[in-house]
Amino acid sequence: MNDSPFIAVARTGKNNFLRYVFSVFFVIFLVVSGSVVVAIALGLTGINPTAALTGAPALLYFTLNLALFGVVWLGLWLCLPRIHQRPFMTLINPTRRFDWGRFWLGAGLWLAINIAYNLVFAVLKPGYYTWSLDLPAFLPYLLVGLLLFPIQAGAEELFFRGYLTQGLGLVNGWVGWLVPAVVFGLLHSFNPEVGAYGLLLTLPVYVGMGLLFGWITLRSGSLELALGVHILNNLYAGLLTRIPDSAIQTEALFTVEKYDALAEMLAFFACALIFVLIIEAILRRAPRFGQG
């Protein structure tokens, strides 16, 4: 953990504590300001932002909610070169080049594992998935999702697995892995599905996601694998299967009316374990996906 080039690259900039405090609060300020703008925009259209969080939001709410994450990109893009005096791209890869091979490896493998797990559920739990495609209603969500889920998921990866992991990793690599994962999970505890299905059955999934994304980032030495998995995961969850009370409410191909939170939690950890084992085997046998 401590010798990861992904953490080492942070030492090339200026890293005193106050710089991190300023940058984190600056990003939070941008998010809060953006949220106020979104709330005003929704209010002007007659959409109740509070109701939209627990019901099926309009396409406008879905679009604005995802687009809001663009301010995280903006904040980090401003802070890295000006506050920390190192290139923005070092949040993604120490080489400052985006490795598309790693990105597509993460996305493709996670897609294959999720399709397999959904097929198993469909066999073991007949009727669990209901075909619900309304094509005219679905197409706008598909377009917005393809455009904006990468911004939303990418913002979370840049902030948690990029900025926080590198900053905390300068103290200790294990801290850089664990703390962002826990914070990532706790922030998702405000999602409506957590209240609907219980903290013990939902929060471990979000913390587990953070641990998974952080592990593959530090093991590969760059952020592209985690970006691929996270973006694909949100696209898949948002556009393929829809569950009641989810934070992501869209038109989707399938609907799960009676969500089994315990089975889904166990399935996630099984999928994550399979993913890690396969990635570890690839990292050992294909040096180009390894560190550096």
Side-chain angles (χ1 to χ4, degrees):
M1 288 287 183
N2 290 319
D3 61 353
S4 172
F6 187 72
I7 292 175
V9 72
R11 297 189 179 95
T12 61
K14 294 188 175 182
N15 298 293
N16 66 63
F17 178 70
L18 289 179
R19 293 176 188 270
Y20 278 96
V21 171
F22 175 85
S23 297
V24 167
F25 275 95
F26 180 65
V27 171
I28 293 173
F29 168 77
L30 290 180
V31 171
V32 172
S33 299
S35 299
V36 171
V37 172
V38 168
I40 293 173
L42 291 172
L44 292 175
T45 62
I47 299 174
N48 185 328
T50 303
L53 289 173
T54 55
L59 179 62
L60 176 63
Y61 171 78
F62 176 66
T63 303
L64 292 176
N65 187 42
L66 294 184
L68 173 62
F69 285 85
V71 302
V72 177
W73 288 77
L74 175 63
L76 293 173
W77 180 76
L78 290 173
C79 288
L80 260 290
R82 292 164 179 81
I83 306 301
H84 293 282
Q85 297 186 13
R86 62 184 174 99
F88 172 79
M89 274 300 295
T90 57
L91 280 181
I92 299 175
N93 194 314
T95 67
R96 308 180 193 178
R97 296 188 302 272
F98 194 91
D99 190 326
W100 285 102
R102 294 179 186 180
F103 177 87
W104 292 117
L105 171 63
L109 180 57
W110 193 246
L111 174 63
I113 291 173
N114 273 267
I115 289 174
Y117 120 74
N118 282 142
L119 290 175
V120 170
F121 262 46
V123 172
L124 297 180
K125 300 168 74 68
Y128 190 69
Y129 302 104
T130 302
W131 181 256
S132 59
L133 175 64
D134 179 351
L135 189 59
F138 174 74
L139 288 178
Y141 282 93
L142 175 63
L143 177 61
V144 172
L146 289 173
L147 291 174
L148 296 184
F149 269 130
I151 292 176
Q152 177 261 327
E156 292 185 349
E157 288 310 300
L158 284 169
F159 186 74
F160 290 101
R161 258 64 62 183
Y163 190 70
L164 292 186
T165 290
Q166 287 181 339
L168 293 171
L170 293 175
V171 178
N172 180 273
W174 291 97
V175 173
W177 176 48
L178 294 171
V179 172
V182 173
V183 175
F184 176 77
L186 290 175
L187 288 176
H188 283 81
S189 66
F190 297 101
N191 285 10
E193 66 268 17
V194 176
Y197 304 113
L199 197 68
L200 294 179
L201 295 178
T202 52
L203 191 60
V205 174
Y206 290 117
V207 175
M209 285 182 177
L211 293 172
L212 172 64
F213 300 152
W215 180 262
I216 59 178
T217 295
L218 293 172
R219 286 288 290 117
S220 65
S222 68
L223 198 60
E224 293 95 348
L225 274 173
L227 283 167
V229 176
H230 197 163
I231 291 171
L232 187 281
N233 182 79
N234 287 16
L235 283 167
Y236 195 92
L239 299 174
L240 189 80
T241 56
R242 178 179 57 201
I243 66 172
D245 301 300
S246 171
I248 302 175
Q249 288 294 322
T250 67
E251 294 291 331
L253 301 185
F254 297 93
T255 297
V256 178
E257 296 293 350
K258 296 182 179 179
Y259 184 73
D260 188 337
L262 175 60
E264 293 282 358
M265 181 183 72
L266 295 175
F268 164 75
F269 283 106
C271 291
L273 177 60
I274 293 169
F275 183 86
V276 168
L277 291 175
I278 294 174
I279 287 296
E280 288 291 336
I282 292 173
L283 292 177
R284 287 194 299 268
R285 298 178 184 181
R288 74 166 303 279
F289 292 112
Q291 296 187 1

